[in-house]
Amino acid sequence: MSTRQVIPVERRRNLGIIAHVDAGKTTLTERLLWKAGAIHRTGEVHDGATTTDHMELERERGITIGAAAVQAAWTPEGQAMHRLTLIDTPGHIDFAIEVERSLRVLDGAVAVFSAVAGVQPQSETVWRQARRHGVPLIAFINKMDRPGADFDAVLVQMRERLGANPWAVARPLIENEQMIALVDIVGERTWRWDASGQPEVVAWSADEAALHASERQTLIAAVAEHDDVLLEAWLEERPVDAGMLMAALRRATLAGRGSPVLPGSAFKNVGIEPLLDAFVAYLPSPLDRPAVVAHTDDGDTMVAPDADAPLAALVFKVVNQAHGPLAFIRLYAGKLHVGDQVWRSGNDRVQRIGRLAVLRAEDTEAIEVAEAGDIVAIAGWKDVATGETLTATDHRLRLEAIEAQPAVLAWR
Ligand code: GDP
């Protein structure tokens, strides 16, 4: 069943995963898609059989990961369903323009660091680029199961190498060098995983309660520096409940003041659900993002995320498939229906939208309409190029300033 139409835009998250090679981005992406219901079990797999799950994941490796944008759904406990779109962010700096473009179309990102290797040069570059673009960032400290894993050392490196302001919203609990549980510092719970990576939320031990209480005070004090509402409550010594702290963290993260950080192990399936919750809690919806600049013959203009405004969409990636190219677009404003005539900046032509689709981990869903904030693919356009803008025929503009090209000159 399609969930597209029923999820309002404030419950959508378009996010990228940025990482240094080998930090675990591929493994994490698979786990996230698996947990977020995008990779389904086939009939021969028994529920809870993790070895089989793992083999299944291995088989599916590659299908999911190569896609420019994959959609999934996540429902945090006690909340409505959210739509997640994971956008592939190239890790190689050789593709600088591709990195820039992918940073443009996402609304928030999670940086994956290895708890052993820490903050490495590539992730440093992309982190700084994302900050320049004003992209709100959270971090996942992966490989907490490895000997030598050091959560706090990575927080220090984030401060020193990235100039970041990390907020530990969860703390790892380590036993025999392996992370077995995490204490949620914002809420009042502990997540624990069994050997197969199945999560359980359990009551606190005395040690966990103590850790929670002291860490929570530290976190509140740190976030209060960046959020007036929390500061006021803190100064007046009013109790700060989970909802209040989470809201303050969200505001401060969206304002670019700091980054919530969570520990885990993608490989062991540990920490995936709290991370999915964090996407919803701390990363922006398309409506939280500022308007973008667009260029017209009469000068620059701003495009706000408004579904009732004229269409403005950017082609950010073209993937060649057996059946022809798939052009991934981000809609910044307006709506796009199958059958619509749109203007293309690349060839200065008006062209009809034949087919629209969204990709999930294991299937492609044909859709009829997309709206501001959506990331979808157009199928069937042979000569489409990245960087093109699509607009309403009577409302032409360009989202990317392109060097003088024949197409642009012809339009003038
Ligand atoms: P990518 O290059 O960032 O996409 O990293 P991969 O997901 O391919 O992971 C790189 C290597 O680290 C692989 O051998 C993974 O199995 C391993 N790996 C990924 N996550 C973890 C983890 O949480 N713990 C451990 N021990 N190994 C991991």
Side-chain angles (χ1 to χ4, degrees):
M1 191 191 77
S2 163
T3 52
R4 296 186 49 73
Q5 285 76 11
V6 299
I7 298 184
V9 67
E10 57 272 20
R11 278 199 260 127
R12 300 181 207 162
R13 301 289 180 273
N14 298 318
L15 62 118
I17 304 179
I18 63 181
H20 191 97
V21 166
D22 210 43
K25 177 172 149 177
T26 312
T27 314
L28 181 65
T29 305
E30 286 174 347
R31 297 299 174 179
L32 290 170
L33 290 173
W34 174 260
K35 286 288 173 197
I39 296 177
H40 304 291
R41 296 167 200 215
T42 57
E44 78 232 34
V45 179
H46 302 292
D47 275 355
T50 310
T51 335
T52 331
D53 290 356
H54 189 70
M55 282 163 53
E56 173 129 319
L57 277 174
E58 288 299 306
R59 267 207 307 280
E60 281 162 351
R61 199 184 178 102
I63 304 174
T64 324
I65 306 308
V70 184
Q71 218 176 72
W74 180 246
T75 307
E77 209 181 295
Q79 293 188 46
M81 183 188 278
H82 285 67
R83 186 203 296 162
L84 307 176
T85 303
L86 301 188
I87 296 142
D88 187 47
T89 311
H92 301 282
I93 298 310
D94 332 348
F95 305 125
I97 182 129
E98 297 241 331
V99 176
E100 292 280 327
R101 224 171 244 140
S102 64
L103 289 176
R104 263 199 84 165
V105 298
L106 50 81
D107 296 316
V110 53
V112 185
F113 300 112
S114 157
V116 183
V119 175
Q120 294 167 283
Q122 259 178 36
S123 36
E124 190 175 329
T125 311
V126 188
W127 178 283
R128 288 186 185 281
Q129 257 175 318
R131 295 290 327 125
R132 264 203 307 281
H133 282 263
V135 173
L137 291 162
I138 68 174
F140 183 73
I141 314 296
N142 191 32
K143 303 200 184 184
M144 284 302 306
D145 60 304
R146 292 250 324 256
D150 190 339
F151 184 68
D152 286 295
V154 184
L155 297 182
V156 170
Q157 290 178 6
M158 286 180 69
R159 272 188 209 102
E160 290 176 352
R161 299 194 190 161
L162 305 175
N165 188 15
W167 290 312
V169 293
R171 280 258 156 207
L173 292 179
I174 315 270
E175 197 172 87
N176 301 327
E177 294 219 51
Q178 298 225 337
M179 179 173 157
I180 50 153
L182 65 77
V183 175
D184 174 350
I185 303 297
V186 178
E188 305 208 329
R189 59 184 183 170
T190 292
W191 293 78
R192 199 177 295 279
W193 290 270
D194 65 19
S196 66
Q198 296 297 318
E200 3 167 32
V201 176
V202 295
W204 286 340
S205 69
D207 286 354
E208 288 161 13
L211 175 70
H212 178 267
S214 71
E215 285 291 331
R216 202 163 188 279
Q217 283 313 311
T218 310
L219 179 63
I220 291 170
V223 179
E225 276 182 49
H226 301 279
D227 186 77
D228 290 344
V229 179
L230 191 63
L231 181 65
E232 210 179 295
W234 190 64
L235 292 175
E236 290 171 6
E237 294 180 26
R238 273 189 277 131
V240 174
D241 67 14
M244 204 171 153
L245 180 51
M246 200 180 270
L249 273 158
R250 177 177 181 81
R251 284 190 296 268
T253 306
L254 297 198
R257 308 304 299 268
S259 293
V261 186
L262 298 96
S265 164
F267 191 67
K268 294 274 163 98
N269 233 346
V270 164
I272 307 303
E273 301 84 358
L275 181 62
L276 287 162
D277 284 352
F279 291 163
V280 168
Y282 307 124
L283 292 180
S285 89
L287 294 178
D288 295 315
R289 299 287 289 152
V292 296
V293 181
H295 315 283
T296 75
D297 276 355
D298 305 322
D300 289 354
T301 176
M302 300 306 285
V303 176
D306 177 0
D308 297 321
L311 172 73
L314 178 73
V315 180
F316 67 93
K317 179 128 182 192
V318 178
V319 179
N320 286 307
Q321 290 201 316
H323 327 285
L326 264 186
F328 286 85
I329 60 168
R330 156 99 196 207
L331 276 83
Y332 287 91
K335 292 194 179 75
L336 189 59
H337 302 84
V338 169
D340 279 356
Q341 301 282 346
V342 301
W343 176 77
R344 283 178 53 189
S345 71
N347 60 5
D348 189 23
R349 292 230 180 91
V350 170
Q351 193 161 348
R352 188 178 165 276
I353 300 289
R355 274 181 296 149
L356 286 177
V358 291
L359 270 65
R360 287 187 300 237
E362 52 178 18
D363 60 359
T364 302
E365 183 192 349
I367 57 166
E368 288 299 315
V369 59
E371 63 177 10
D374 277 345
I375 290 182
V376 300
I378 299 173
W381 282 4
K382 294 241 157 22
D383 59 343
V384 61
T386 55
E388 284 197 57
T389 303
L390 314 181
T391 69
T393 53
D394 56 354
H395 203 266
R396 302 175 183 196
L397 47 80
R398 278 172 288 122
L399 289 161
E400 272 192 10
I402 303 172
E403 301 301 310
Q405 282 175 355
V408 176
L409 292 175
W411 169 44
R412 291 177 174 207

